[in-house]
Amino acid sequence: MAEQSGIIKLKGTLGGISFYKTSDGYLAREKGGVSAQRIATDPVFQRTRENNAEFATAGKAGKLMRNSIQVLLQNAKDRRCVGRLTRALLSVIKSDTVNIRGERNVQEGNMQLINGFEFNQNGKLGSTFLLLLYAR
C-alpha cells in the first residue's frame, strides 16, 4: 500500500487510484478487483462466499459483545479493538465442528479461544475495572 509523503494530501479517487486517510496517515491504492456480481454468482467464488459469511458472523458477534458492555469499554478499549475481537471470534467460528463451512457460528465453537482477550492492549481490563470501582 502506497503512503503519501508529499505536501499535498489527497482524498478521493483520481485516475483509478484511491487516496484516503487512516490513523496511520494518508495512503493510496489502485482501484481494482472482481465485481460483486461475479463473487455472488460464480461457482469459482463459492469458498469466498463461505469465508465472507463467517467473517460477517464474527463481526456481528463482536458488535453484540461490545454493545453488551459498552459502558465499561467507553474509556477502556484501544483503536484496534474491533479488528482484534473479530479475528478472535473468527477463530472461535472456525472451531465449530457441528455446522458446515459457511454456516459455522460462535455458539457451536470453542469459546475458550477468547479466554483472556484484552480490549486494550496497552492496559489490562482487570486494572481498568479496579479504577472504575474506585472512581465511584
Side-chain angles (χ1 to χ4, degrees):
M1 189 158 329
E3 183 175 333
Q4 293 176 262
S5 60
I7 297 171
I8 300 172
K9 307 297 182 194
L10 300 171
K11 288 184 186 177
T13 303
L14 182 66
I17 299 175
S18 297
F19 298 91
Y20 57 100
K21 182 180 179 184
T22 67
S23 58
D24 297 326
Y26 288 88
L27 302 174
R29 68 174 173 217
E30 187 175 8
K31 188 177 178 182
V34 182
S35 72
Q37 177 65 28
R38 183 169 177 213
I39 290 174
T41 58
D42 194 335
V44 172
F45 291 100
Q46 177 62 32
R47 184 62 57 137
T48 301
R49 289 190 295 274
E50 293 168 358
N51 291 339
N52 287 346
E54 291 185 356
F55 184 77
T57 301
K60 290 173 187 172
K63 182 175 182 178
L64 181 66
M65 207 170 150
R66 290 188 323 275
N67 286 345
S68 68
I69 56 173
Q70 182 177 12
V71 174
L72 298 174
L73 291 179
Q74 192 170 7
N75 296 317
K77 64 180 179 175
D78 63 19
R79 61 188 176 105
R80 304 225 186 253
C81 172
V82 174
R84 289 186 299 104
L85 182 58
T86 302
R87 182 182 338 132
L89 289 170
L90 195 53
S91 68
V92 172
I93 289 170
K94 288 179 180 179
S95 70
D96 176 0
T97 57
V98 177
N99 298 299
I100 62 171
R101 186 183 179 107
E103 296 178 13
R104 298 181 290 196
N105 59 55
V106 174
Q107 296 87 342
E108 304 294 338
N110 180 7
M111 289 299 288
Q112 292 298 318
L113 294 173
I114 62 168
N115 192 18
F117 178 82
E118 292 293 341
F119 288 90
N120 189 330
Q121 287 184 320
N122 302 320
K124 302 258 183 219
L125 190 59
S127 63
T128 305
F129 273 130
L130 292 175
L131 292 175
L132 289 173
L133 291 173
Y134 291 126
R136 289 185 173 186

